[in-house]
Amino acid sequence: MKIFIDSGNLKEIESLVPLGIIDGITTNPSLMAKEGGDYKEILKKICGIVKGPTSAEVVATEASEMIREGRELAALDDHIVVKVPFTREGVKACKALSSEGKKVNVTLIFSAAQALLAAKVGATFVSPFVGRLDDISTSGMNLIQEIVEIFENYQFTTEVLVASTRSPMHIVEAARLGADICTCPASLIEQLFKHPLTDIGLEKFLKDWEKAQAARV
Ligand code: G3P
């Protein structure tokens, strides 16, 4: 399963990419609004660091404007994936942009029916938001299971990009269900490394080694 960073922050991205576990990036208007500087310049820098799919979201709400904006974003770098929200206009824009060979991530997916429609119009990725479903007492992971099953039934090549992940269990469960990608905030990626028994075990190994070294002199 691929891991993307859900961030527009260059420092976070620069610190995680050298680990070798990052396959791509997702951004959205809320994340980019937190960053200072020129949106497009930041996106170009991110593409240069990650060298993998980099989702950049349109802010237009009408299809022709989404298409215009999507073309502009795609021209920034070959790694750009145009992100459009799942609306009637977004579906139209996805059809047009994917027909001209651009990669499209359809976001704000909250039902399997929405994911099916996005796949039908050539989305490269669909982004179901698991955390926000959990927030309203609905299982985000059930949705992932449904989408994975539907895409397998019809051999859709659209990848399931699990978004709004909030805990390590979201990542583990998504991987067990066969989701293609999880996009995670940097803090969640850090959490994936942690296990107290690893820390205790390493401390003991090093202490035992030091003791043995001291006994030899
Ligand atoms: O990838 C979508 C993500 O940024 C939304 O996450 O935690 O605001 O639901 P959250």
Side-chain angles (χ1 to χ4, degrees):
M1 189 185 67
K2 285 173 269 188
I3 294 180
F4 287 7
I5 312 176
D6 195 30
S7 173
N9 184 279
L10 287 170
K11 274 199 187 128
E12 283 179 356
I13 296 166
E14 276 165 345
S15 84
L16 289 168
V17 166
L19 293 171
I21 55 167
I22 302 303
D23 303 291
I25 291 277
T26 51
T27 67
N28 62 38
S30 304
L31 291 171
M32 294 311 291
K34 286 194 222 158
E35 305 304 319
D38 183 273
Y39 173 49
K40 289 183 179 167
E41 285 309 309
I42 297 177
L43 283 172
K44 281 202 259 182
K45 280 189 192 153
I46 292 175
C47 289
I49 301 166
V50 179
K51 300 184 180 72
T54 301
S55 286
E57 189 160 340
V58 302
V59 288
T61 53
E62 194 267 321
S64 63
E65 264 305 290
M66 286 178 169
I67 295 165
R68 192 195 56 73
E69 218 186 307
R71 285 180 185 143
E72 254 180 46
L73 290 169
L76 292 175
D77 192 287
D78 286 347
H79 292 106
I80 292 284
V81 175
V82 180
K83 202 171 179 193
V84 300
F86 183 89
T87 56
R88 290 169 72 93
E89 295 297 300
V91 165
K92 269 197 255 173
C94 177
K95 176 74 181 178
L97 290 165
S98 59
S99 302
E100 46 188 71
K102 299 192 170 44
K103 291 190 171 159
V104 182
N105 176 356
V106 180
T107 189
L108 290 169
I109 294 281
F110 290 98
S111 80
Q114 292 177 328
L116 174 62
L117 297 187
K120 283 180 70 71
V121 290
T124 307
F125 307 104
V126 287
S127 293
F129 278 35
V130 292
R132 292 193 193 180
L133 280 172
D134 291 352
D135 287 345
I136 56 159
S137 306
T138 305
S139 166
M141 280 303 146
N142 280 355
L143 174 60
I144 302 307
Q145 191 167 22
E146 287 175 355
I147 299 174
V148 167
E149 183 185 350
I150 291 168
F151 285 8
E152 272 173 15
N153 285 348
Y154 297 100
Q155 282 94 50
F156 281 119
T157 53
T158 305
E159 294 188 58
V160 181
L161 193 170
V162 181
S164 181
T165 54
R166 307 267 178 80
S167 79
M169 283 316 291
H170 276 150
I171 314 308
V172 172
E173 286 175 27
R176 293 186 70 185
L177 293 170
D180 300 283
I181 307 152
C182 275
T183 191
C184 317
S187 55
L188 175 51
I189 296 175
E190 297 297 347
Q191 274 180 278
L192 298 179
F193 278 89
K194 296 207 168 93
H195 198 291
L197 291 179
T198 305
D199 299 340
I200 292 166
L202 179 60
E203 202 185 329
K204 183 165 183 347
F205 283 158
L206 296 179
K207 270 199 186 132
D208 289 346
W209 180 254
E210 269 169 35
K211 247 191 262 163
Q213 295 307 302
R216 275 186 205 168
V217 287

